[in-house]
Amino acid sequence: MIDEYQRNNNGNNHLVRASSSNVMLYGNLGNLRQPQQGNYGGKANHQREDSNNNNNNNNKEKNGKYLNSATTPICRALSTRMDPEQLKIMGNEDYKNGDFAEALALYEAAIAIDPNKAAYRSNKSAALTALGRLLEAVSECKEAIRIEPNYHRAHHRLGNLYLRLGDMEKSIYHYKHAGPEADHIDVSKAKSLQVYLNKCIEARRLRDWNTLIKEAEAAISGGADSAPLIYALQAEALMKHNKHREADEVMKKSLNVDTDACTKLFGPISTASILTVRAHVDMAMGRFDDALSKAQGAMRLDSNNKDASMAMRKARAVAAARAKGNQHFKVGKFRDALMAYEEGLEHDPHNSVLLCNRAACRAKLGQLEKAIHDCSSALNVRPDYAKARLRRADCYAKLGKWEASVEEYEMLLKISPQDEEVRQGLMEAKERLKKQRDEKC
């Protein structure tokens, strides 16, 4: 691509920059901290990679830093005069300004010209980290160290990455090889986090779920804020307390990486454990196909994992029960549908989707009190489950419990203020409640 650009632009030395419309907004990076706070950037002094980056500061506008012309959709890295050191300087400038995607493009351009320069790999790692691509950042740091085994900055960055990913042994190892880049505080922090992690593992062994939740939160707050295994342990403990929604929120905060990348970094056994927890959470939230896929993936990685085996059997049984029940419900066979959902609940008694579906069957069969009970059970697991709340509001209405029905509709309206069905239901319930009170008077 670079060669073709150079051939087609003979004599043009103008540097241009691509549109950065695809840059990830920092606010979407979740728990990632700003580089000036010291994460991944080598004590917030990334600019020390090269101190002569000031000579470009006064030339941004005339170098066409943000040209809007349709003829300049190519990163300014692509020019007829490709000096990798200059590209690195420009990348450092962008990095300091928070333009991480553009910095990454410049570092990659420098690497394309000189792939054996450790500093370029280390700088690329810093940009990847700022964009939330932590596992790729680990690979670049490793490559920098392969090129230059005593490169202190790369060791320190890799120590920071492993700390946040929850691998304290590797974190400590690289801190100890970081020379003046690291200090006793770094090693001490990693050792403290290792204590938290050990407590998490022990609490899980003892099935002390309250302690596990507390220690996992302490580890995350202490710095291991991108550690999939710690998030999985916390989510598992929440699931044991039937706090399915909270478990789902925890897993959303966790680093979302593909199975192969996760296996490469954490190994097959740990990855299988993470996938198993994800399978349980997906099943509880009604994502049955995803649950089955993750459980099968866990079994492929660790065929001896009993939890994964159980999750796979449960996912298959629950998914089959729901599909069977839905088929009966669509053709009006409500008793058969109810029996099918109950078969699924034998495997997963607290599954909110199956409880809500059984409530629909019971409502159709006139078993309104039982339907309300099922809706309540589903809402205990998932307080924000709008379908269960709407169904309960309807059951209250059919029983003439208009005050309770109004309360349900008002809660639904707070969640979905534009929902016309909810508005109509609330209006009707209020009218009937008023009429009911007038009749009593």
Side-chain angles (χ1 to χ4, degrees):
M1 179 179 175
I2 292 171
D3 289 341
E4 182 179 354
Y5 179 83
Q6 290 173 330
R7 287 196 302 271
N8 294 334
N9 292 273
N10 291 330
N12 179 11
N13 294 330
H14 190 58
L15 301 181
V16 298
R17 178 187 300 281
S19 166
S20 57
S21 60
N22 62 343
V23 175
M24 185 183 294
L25 294 178
Y26 194 84
N28 292 335
L29 296 182
N31 54 21
L32 290 178
R33 294 167 292 179
Q34 291 278 14
Q36 60 263 33
Q37 291 176 304
N39 66 310
Y40 305 123
K43 300 179 181 294
N45 56 2
H46 171 85
Q47 62 271 26
R48 287 191 298 170
E49 289 287 356
D50 202 307
S51 60
N52 63 346
N53 56 359
N54 293 324
N55 58 3
N56 253 12
N57 290 346
N58 298 322
N59 297 315
K60 293 178 183 177
E61 292 184 2
K62 62 183 179 181
N63 279 347
K65 184 173 182 182
Y66 295 110
L67 298 179
N68 295 320
S69 169
T71 62
T72 60
I74 307 171
C75 176
R76 63 175 175 166
L78 302 180
S79 76
T80 55
R81 210 170 38 222
M82 303 296 292
D83 178 4
E85 278 300 305
Q86 184 66 18
L87 292 173
K88 186 189 79 168
I89 292 168
M90 293 158 68
N92 290 353
E93 175 192 338
D94 280 337
Y95 184 94
K96 287 191 297 178
N97 291 332
D99 300 327
F100 303 123
E102 296 188 5
L104 176 62
L106 290 162
Y107 296 142
E108 286 179 337
I111 290 169
I113 299 165
D114 186 357
N116 294 315
K117 191 68 175 289
Y120 304 162
R121 300 283 184 174
S122 179
N123 285 16
K124 181 182 175 182
S125 173
L128 286 167
T129 298
L131 291 169
R133 295 158 61 178
L134 273 62
L135 300 193
E136 294 174 73
V138 167
S139 296
E140 290 301 323
C141 267
K142 285 182 175 180
E143 183 62 15
I145 292 169
R146 184 194 67 77
I147 295 168
E148 191 176 328
N150 295 320
Y151 189 11
H152 294 157
R153 177 65 57 81
H155 276 292
H156 189 257
R157 283 197 174 125
L158 193 51
N160 286 340
L161 284 165
Y162 277 129
L163 184 141
R164 296 190 70 184
L165 290 168
D167 193 331
M168 303 311 158
E169 289 185 8
K170 290 181 181 177
S171 177
I172 292 170
Y173 171 85
H174 287 286
Y175 280 148
K176 289 182 176 179
H177 286 76
E181 287 290 329
D183 55 35
H184 69 281
I185 296 176
D186 292 317
V187 175
S188 177
K189 185 176 182 179
K191 288 181 177 178
S192 296
L193 286 171
Q194 183 63 59
V195 171
Y196 287 131
L197 182 57
N198 291 340
K199 287 182 178 178
C200 287
I201 294 170
E202 179 64 12
R204 184 184 186 278
R205 187 184 70 80
L206 297 173
R207 303 179 70 81
D208 183 354
W209 307 119
N210 287 326
T211 298
L212 177 51
I213 293 170
K214 184 182 75 172
E215 296 299 335
E217 186 58 39
I220 292 166
S221 300
D225 55 5
S226 300
L229 183 59
I230 295 176
Y231 281 103
L233 288 169
Q234 188 180 41
E236 181 183 18
L238 288 166
M239 288 286 292
K240 296 298 182 181
H241 285 304
N242 295 320
K243 296 181 178 180
H244 297 172
R245 183 181 60 84
E246 290 92 332
D248 190 41
E249 290 299 317
V250 164
M251 293 311 291
K252 286 177 182 177
K253 295 176 185 177
S254 176
L255 190 68
N256 189 17
V257 294
D258 65 78
T259 301
D260 290 340
C262 194
T263 304
K264 185 177 179 180
L265 185 64
F266 301 109
I269 293 176
S270 292
T271 303
S273 297
I274 294 167
L275 285 174
T276 300
V277 174
R278 287 188 178 276
H280 283 300
V281 173
D282 282 341
M283 190 157 48
M285 301 304 291
R287 301 186 290 263
F288 298 123
D289 292 339
D290 290 342
L292 182 56
S293 175
K294 289 183 175 70
Q296 290 172 334
M299 283 298 294
R300 284 193 294 270
L301 290 170
D302 184 8
S303 59
N304 295 320
N305 189 319
K306 293 181 180 180
D307 286 341
S309 177
M310 182 184 70
M312 187 169 68
R313 290 196 303 271
K314 185 187 288 188
R316 282 176 175 167
V318 170
R322 186 188 66 159
K324 183 179 176 183
N326 289 354
Q327 191 173 20
H328 287 313
F329 192 91
K330 287 177 182 177
V331 296
K333 296 181 178 180
F334 303 123
R335 290 192 183 278
D336 291 339
L338 186 145
M339 291 175 62
Y341 296 137
E342 286 181 339
E343 287 176 12
L345 286 166
E346 289 177 5
H347 296 276
D348 191 5
H350 301 286
N351 191 282
S352 58
V353 174
L354 294 183
L355 286 167
C356 189
N357 286 6
R358 187 171 70 174
C361 294
R362 285 176 163 171
K364 291 290 187 181
L365 294 168
Q367 302 171 10
L368 296 174
E369 293 288 356
K370 288 184 177 181
I372 289 172
H373 182 269
D374 277 345
C375 288
S376 298
S377 298
L379 287 165
N380 285 338
V381 174
R382 290 171 60 188
D384 58 348
Y385 195 2
K387 185 180 287 188
R389 194 170 296 282
L390 183 62
R391 195 154 282 161
R392 190 165 70 174
D394 183 61
C395 288
Y396 280 136
K398 288 175 179 176
L399 287 169
K401 297 182 178 181
W402 297 109
E403 187 172 356
S405 183
V406 167
E407 289 178 1
E408 297 292 349
Y409 279 120
E410 286 179 338
M411 291 187 69
L412 282 165
L413 197 61
K414 290 179 181 178
I415 300 171
S416 305
Q418 305 303 322
D419 193 313
E420 192 58 34
E421 181 183 359
V422 173
R423 285 185 175 278
Q424 287 295 116
L426 177 59
M427 187 182 302
E428 181 183 350
K430 282 183 173 180
E431 289 175 359
R432 299 297 292 269
L433 177 60
K434 184 178 183 302
K435 184 178 179 180
Q436 187 180 66
R437 286 173 175 171
D438 290 343
E439 287 175 353
K440 287 182 180 180
C441 294

